[in-house]
Amino acid sequence: MRRRFGRFHHHHHNRPGWWLKIRAIFAQILVPLICFQLLRTLLLPTTFDMILLTLMIVMYFSITLRLI
């Protein structure tokens, strides 16, 4: 017997190829940006720099852990 909503169970595994490419490119771009922002934050720390660095690190880890 077929489940009624069986086609919706694995929708997160069937992401389009263009999304996977964009996510991979974004992860590669984030690494040098995080390094630059870390140096900037260490040399001249401001609240904006801290928030930006935190957001970029959270975005990077959410991409690498496949949360996005």
Side-chain angles (χ1 to χ4, degrees), residues 3-64:
R3 290 186 183 196
R4 185 174 177 185
F5 298 105
R7 63 184 173 159
F8 297 112
H9 287 302
H10 298 288
H11 69 281
H12 62 278
H13 294 295
N14 297 328
R15 295 194 175 156
W18 59 268
W19 172 248
L20 297 176
K21 289 178 185 176
I22 289 174
R23 193 173 67 183
I25 291 170
F26 199 62
Q28 289 179 350
I29 291 172
L30 271 175
V31 173
L33 287 177
I34 289 172
C35 292
F36 174 75
Q37 189 63 34
L38 178 65
L39 283 173
R40 180 183 154 111
T41 304
L42 288 175
L43 294 175
L44 203 66
T46 63
T47 305
F48 176 75
D49 288 329
M50 296 291 289
I51 292 171
L52 187 61
L53 180 62
T54 304
L55 285 175
M56 289 185 347
I57 289 172
V58 167
M59 287 177 68
Y60 178 75
F61 280 115
S62 63
I63 288 173
T64 56

